[in-house]
Amino acid sequence: MQRALITGITGQDGSYLAELLLEKGYEVHGIVRRASSINRARIDHLAPHEHGPQKRLFLHYGDLADSVSLVKLLYQLQPDEIYNLAAQSHVRVSFDIPEYTADIVGVGAARILEAIIESGIGKKVRFYQASSSEMFGKVQAVPQVETTPFWPRSPYACAKLMAHWLTVNYRESYGLFACSGILFNHESPRRGESFVTRKITLAAARIKAGRQKELYLGNLDSQRDWGYAKEYVEGMWRMLQQEQPGDYVLATNETHTIRAFLDAAFARVNLDWHDHVKFDERLLRPAEVELLIGDYAKARRELGWEPATRMKGLAELMVDADLAAHSRPA
C-alpha cells in the first residue's frame, strides 16, 4: 500500500487530494496544526476511513514552522509521496503579514525539503511542491508556460517563488524526485470564504435567500484563469507517477475578468450583480496582477491531464452548493 503525507490536508486542495488518494487505495497521513478550535470540516466526511481494521487516514500534529517535528514525522512514517500544500495562501493578506507568509510558504518548503534529507528518505520519496501562477505576477508573456520568466507582485508570490526554486535546487543537488505544480487559480465549493470567487458565490446565494443585501469587492477588472480544484489534484498526483520529475503548469488556457465571474454567478440565481456589488478600496492590492492565463500543453502531453470544467460551469456549481446551504429559511 502506497503511503502519502499531505501538509495542508484540511484546506481545499488537501481535502480533494486526500479523497483521491484514498480512492486509489493509499494510506493517507495529514499534518494539522494544533489550535484551540478544530477546523476540519472539509475532511469530516472522510471519517469512515479512520475506523476499523482498514483504517487508512491518519492525522498528526505538526507545523511547517517546526523543523524538528517534520524530521521526526518523516523518519517515523517513511512516506512514498509527500504533497506540500500548506500555506498562508491569501495574496492580499500577505501584504499585512509578509514575514509570517515568507516563513510558512518559503522557509517552510526549505524545512520540509531538508527534513527529507535528514530523515534519510530522499532516495525513495516523491515530493510535490504547490507552486502558484502568482509567481508570474507582472506577466512577461501571454499565455504563461513553465519557462515564462517570473515577476512576483506580492509577498505571497515571492515566498512561493522561493519554495519553487528550492524544489528545483534540491532536485538538482540531491537527486530528489521533486516536482512543482504551477497551478493557476482553482476554485470549488470548499474554497475559503475570504477568496473572491467564494465571496461572490456565497453572496449570490445569500442575497437570493434574503440573508445578505450587498457585496463589497475591490478590482473587478483583474483577469484570471479559473479551473476546478477537484480536477487539479488529479494533475498533482499524475506528476508524481512519471518516470522523471519535472515542473508543470495546470490551467484552462482561458482568462476571464472578475466581472465575468460575477455575471455567471448572479445569473445562476436570476439576479443582476450591479444592484448589489459595492466598491471597497481597502480590498485593492498595493501591487496588482492584471492578467493570468496558463498554457497547459506540457501537462496534456506528458501527464495526459486536461481540465474539464471552465469558468461558467465552475461558477454555477459553486453557486449551487452555496445555494443548497443557504436557501433554508433563516
Side-chain angles (χ1 to χ4, degrees):
M1 184 184 297
Q2 289 284 93
R3 179 178 294 164
L5 175 65
I6 303 172
T7 72
I9 193 172
T10 60
Q12 170 189 256
D13 292 6
S15 66
Y16 281 122
L17 179 61
E19 280 181 353
L20 177 73
L21 296 179
L22 288 169
E23 289 170 1
K24 292 183 178 295
Y26 279 64
E27 178 181 295
V28 177
H29 295 257
I31 295 179
V32 295
R33 288 178 295 169
R34 178 69 178 90
S36 58
S37 59
I38 296 176
N39 181 21
R40 300 177 188 172
R42 295 185 181 95
I43 59 171
D44 279 346
H45 65 290
L46 301 177
H49 292 283
E50 294 192 11
H51 305 289
Q54 300 302 315
K55 179 176 179 179
R56 291 191 289 115
L57 175 63
F58 304 83
L59 301 180
H60 308 267
Y61 286 120
D63 199 305
L64 288 184
D66 184 358
S67 57
V68 174
S69 68
L70 294 175
V71 174
K72 290 169 64 177
L73 189 58
L74 296 193
Y75 182 79
Q76 171 194 343
L77 294 180
Q78 297 284 308
D80 301 292
E81 298 174 1
I82 297 173
Y83 297 85
N84 183 30
L85 311 184
Q88 187 304 99
S89 58
H90 198 287
V91 177
R92 177 63 190 84
V93 171
S94 76
F95 285 97
D96 300 322
I97 50 172
E99 183 179 344
Y100 175 78
T101 302
D103 184 47
I104 297 303
V105 177
V107 183
R111 293 186 183 108
I112 196 164
L113 284 164
E114 192 61 21
I116 289 172
I117 303 301
E118 291 298 315
S119 62
I121 64 172
K123 293 188 182 301
K124 64 164 282 189
V125 76
R126 296 189 168 204
F127 176 76
Y128 172 85
Q129 167 60 30
S131 291
S132 169
S133 61
E134 287 285 334
M135 300 187 308
F136 293 118
K138 187 176 180 180
V139 298
Q140 303 300 293
V142 178
Q144 293 88 56
V145 297
E146 292 80 5
T147 55
T148 300
F150 299 118
W151 193 317
R153 298 269 283 172
S154 67
Y156 168 77
C158 291
K160 279 293 187 183
L161 192 57
M162 175 183 178
H164 177 83
W165 283 120
L166 278 167
T167 302
V168 173
N169 182 259
Y170 272 67
R171 181 170 69 214
E172 295 177 348
S173 300
Y174 299 105
L176 296 186
F177 193 107
C179 300
S180 282
I182 308 173
L183 272 57
F184 281 64
N185 296 67
H186 46 291
E187 320 294 321
S188 76
R190 300 182 193 174
R191 189 58 140 154
E193 296 183 12
S194 62
F195 290 83
V196 66
T197 52
R198 188 77 194 291
K199 284 177 68 174
I200 290 170
T201 62
L202 269 173
R206 288 171 175 166
I207 291 170
K208 185 67 174 179
R211 297 188 175 191
Q212 184 174 330
K213 292 183 178 180
E214 297 175 335
L215 169 64
Y216 288 88
L217 296 174
N219 183 8
L220 303 185
D221 296 316
S222 295
Q223 299 177 69
R224 293 292 185 270
D225 184 326
W226 281 301
Y228 185 20
K230 187 173 184 178
E231 297 167 2
Y232 282 45
V233 300
E234 171 80 22
M236 298 177 188
W237 175 78
R238 291 191 183 197
M239 291 179 205
L240 297 196
Q241 312 314 308
Q242 303 305 299
E243 291 186 6
Q244 298 295 328
D247 305 322
Y248 298 88
V249 162
L250 299 187
T252 70
N253 204 19
E254 294 182 5
T255 191
H256 302 274
T257 64
I258 293 174
R259 293 178 189 276
F261 196 94
L262 280 163
D263 286 337
F266 275 75
R268 188 67 168 176
V269 290
N270 299 310
L271 292 174
D272 185 343
W273 65 264
H274 296 88
D275 297 332
H276 304 281
V277 174
K278 308 295 182 183
F279 173 71
D280 187 345
E281 66 178 8
R282 293 173 298 178
L283 299 174
L284 296 175
R285 301 181 186 179
E288 184 58 78
V289 174
E290 300 293 346
L291 168 67
L292 292 175
I293 177 171
D295 183 346
Y296 62 92
K298 180 181 177 183
R300 179 177 55 210
R301 181 176 66 252
E302 297 186 11
L303 307 180
W305 180 89
E306 287 199 62
T309 306
R310 305 299 169 137
M311 186 276 288
K312 185 174 181 293
L314 175 65
E316 291 175 349
L317 73 86
M318 290 175 67
V319 170
D320 290 347
D322 286 326
L323 199 58
H326 292 89
S327 60
R328 297 184 296 273

